[in-house]
Amino acid sequence: MKSAVLNSLKSLGIAGSFAVVAPFANAVDLIDLGDFPAWFTDAMAREVTVANTSDFELTALSAKGKVPGALSLEEQEEGYWYYNINIGTGSPVECYVFTEFDGPANSLNAIIKHNLQGAEALNGKSLSGQFNYAIDSGLTGATPYLQLDTLYMLGEGAEKVSGVIKAMSAQTEQSLQICTHNEIGYRATFRSVFDAFVEAFAQPHDAATFFSPVYRVSINGMPVGFSREVFSVDSDGDVGIENYSAYIFPVDTSSVATSDNVSTSWSRADGSLINANQYAIENSTLASSYAISYNEDAWYVEGELQGKAISGKLDYNSWLLSGLGSYLETEILKQSDKASATFHMWAPDADPLSALEVNLSKIDSPNANFKLDMGALVMEFQAKEHGIFEQGTLSRGALKMQMELIYLHGKPVLP
């Protein structure tokens, strides 16, 4: 849980570096259609019933299912597949599959830029304007997704034309799916195709995975990303923890900042850290990469930050809290007579060469029963059974970040 929180706290810092687009009348739609002509609002309301389905199978990734519309494979290279899906509208839904990618956020934004270039080439007109139309994060089945829709204009004056690119991304197992539709309207229709396409790739949790939560992250009520954790136990009783998070932040009305964070770590059953690796890609550039391990009674860190090498030994050489430990210790404190507990954890986003002191305390609030103090950052959150984080809020100046549990598999208790 704390790894998910810290990745999200980092996202708040990223958002704080840019102008905040406000106010939003709706957490998803960023543009008021009341300012648009009737033809546009009518077009945005269009939907279509897709009567036919296609049998879809990608053996290399164990993907199989049924997808609305007529699906055809248009391009294929090593680790890449590109499909068109005819749903009976002027433009097909386009779906991409990657086994090598920068993450759900950075790759989604790259595909949108690619589609805008395609629109320019198709219409023979230059891009004259674009706006962030809609943003969202949530679940398709048990898989978290990101959404970013873009309103664009091509050409000038009487020759100007408008369009909307709807785009969604989701990471399943070790592959990434991105679907787009370059046509005004058909939002629910497009979503149904995306859901079915992603579902074909979704795999059930394996027997070793005993706990996996997904958290939705919002800033000032606007959904900007998600964080997902997967906990598995090996034959020695150690716990492997995978965490990936993805965020898209509107910088202003026409541009976004993107961030994808991936961490893998190992924990003992008692919640103490064995080792960890973490990297972050921001705006399609590797921003940081770190690894920590324990040797000869000391914690050593190797990595890089913005292209510069990072190497050193922590001043602290004792027990570090793992992602599993954060759940275990929350439940222990909840069941005890103590009012608070203090731990140390490795938080490279705060300082890769230090052990962060974390104070967890009980509080009595309508929406929270715990407070997490991490240096200058404080988060109040609700945790009930097994220390599972259900919702939390962190405020920093005019920004308010909310996290909420939107999917849960199992519990943080070893089988």
Side-chain angles (χ1 to χ4, degrees):
M1 174 268 292
K2 288 191 178 67
S3 60
V5 171
L6 283 163
N7 280 338
S8 300
L9 296 184
K10 181 187 178 187
S11 76
L12 185 57
I14 293 172
S17 302
F18 301 100
V20 179
V21 183
F24 293 108
N26 185 289
V28 175
D29 289 336
L30 311 184
I31 294 177
D32 184 1
L33 290 184
D35 298 330
F36 283 73
W39 72 263
F40 187 90
T41 56
D42 290 345
M44 281 301 301
R46 293 183 297 182
E47 298 291 351
V48 64
T49 299
V50 184
N52 61 314
T53 61
S54 296
D55 291 322
F56 170 67
E57 185 169 6
L58 182 51
T59 306
L61 296 177
S62 301
K64 187 175 183 179
K66 290 185 177 294
V67 178
L71 179 146
S72 60
L73 176 63
E74 300 295 320
E75 295 178 7
Q76 179 180 351
E77 298 177 6
E78 184 176 356
Y80 163 74
W81 297 262
Y82 165 63
Y83 298 89
N84 275 358
I85 305 174
N86 186 342
I87 57 172
T89 62
S91 299
V93 172
E94 301 173 83
C95 289
Y96 306 78
V97 181
F98 303 94
T99 57
E100 294 185 8
F101 48 88
D102 285 343
N106 284 285
S107 297
L108 179 64
N109 197 35
I111 288 294
I112 292 171
K113 292 178 179 179
H114 172 74
N115 280 17
L116 285 170
Q117 292 172 352
E120 287 182 306
L122 181 65
N123 290 275
K125 301 176 186 291
S126 298
L127 184 69
S128 55
Q130 71 177 82
F131 299 91
N132 301 321
Y133 178 77
I135 191 170
D136 199 10
S137 63
L139 288 175
T140 173
T143 304
Y145 71 81
L146 287 179
Q147 175 186 345
L148 179 62
D149 296 352
T150 302
L151 169 67
Y152 66 91
M153 280 75 74
L154 302 173
E156 301 288 349
E159 301 298 318
K160 182 180 290 186
V161 296
S162 302
V164 173
I165 296 176
K166 303 180 291 293
M168 302 180 74
S169 66
Q171 183 177 339
T172 56
E173 299 303 312
Q174 299 302 312
S175 65
L176 180 72
Q177 293 77 51
I178 297 177
C179 292
T180 66
H181 187 220
N182 187 0
E183 192 158 356
I184 300 174
Y186 307 108
R187 301 174 82 179
T189 307
F190 170 66
R191 175 62 191 269
S192 67
V193 174
F194 173 77
D195 287 346
F197 191 75
V198 173
E199 182 61 26
F201 290 84
Q203 301 293 326
H205 293 291
D206 61 38
T209 299
F210 61 93
F211 178 52
S212 181
V214 176
Y215 303 98
R216 187 189 203 199
V217 180
S218 302
I219 292 180
N220 289 1
M222 177 176 60
V224 296
F226 64 82
S227 181
R228 183 179 193 176
E229 297 175 294
V230 180
F231 294 75
S232 302
V233 61
D234 70 6
S235 58
D236 295 326
D238 293 329
V239 176
I241 306 168
E242 299 178 6
N243 174 276
Y244 67 89
S245 54
Y247 309 97
I248 296 180
F249 311 99
V251 174
D252 50 36
T253 57
S254 62
S255 58
V256 295
T258 53
S259 177
D260 289 284
N261 303 268
V262 178
S263 68
T264 58
S265 61
W266 283 94
S267 170
R268 298 178 184 86
D270 64 1
S272 59
L273 183 69
I274 298 174
N275 56 53
N277 295 270
Q278 179 176 318
Y279 70 86
I281 297 175
E282 297 174 3
N283 301 318
S284 298
T285 300
L286 180 66
S288 62
S289 177
Y290 307 111
I292 187 171
S293 59
Y294 194 77
N295 295 296
E296 299 179 353
D297 299 325
W299 290 102
Y300 290 90
V301 175
E302 299 284 344
E304 64 176 80
L305 174 62
Q306 296 178 347
K308 296 181 179 179
I310 296 288
S311 178
K313 180 174 67 172
L314 302 191
D315 291 336
Y316 178 89
N317 65 355
S318 188
W319 193 88
L320 287 175
L321 191 73
S322 72
L324 175 65
S326 67
Y327 291 100
L328 301 180
E329 295 298 339
T330 300
E331 180 63 14
I332 290 172
L333 179 60
K334 180 171 175 281
Q335 298 295 337
S336 76
D337 295 330
K338 294 181 179 180
S340 64
T342 300
F343 312 96
H344 285 82
M345 66 182 304
W346 183 58
D349 293 332
D351 184 350
L353 297 178
S354 296
L356 179 67
E357 184 175 282
V358 177
N359 182 263
L360 181 66
S361 57
K362 295 176 180 176
I363 61 173
D364 185 10
S365 173
N367 299 312
N369 58 349
F370 285 98
K371 182 173 69 171
L372 194 62
D373 289 88
M374 296 168 288
L377 298 173
V378 178
M379 184 175 218
E380 295 185 352
F381 67 94
Q382 184 78 36
K384 295 184 179 178
E385 293 185 359
H386 306 293
I388 297 174
F389 183 106
E390 295 192 350
Q391 62 179 11
T393 302
L394 180 143
S395 298
R396 182 175 176 180
L399 295 175
K400 180 177 290 187
M401 186 194 80
Q402 300 90 19
M403 287 185 65
E404 59 177 318
L405 181 70
I406 58 173
Y407 171 78
L408 180 63
H409 165 77
K411 54 189 178 182
V413 178
L414 268 67

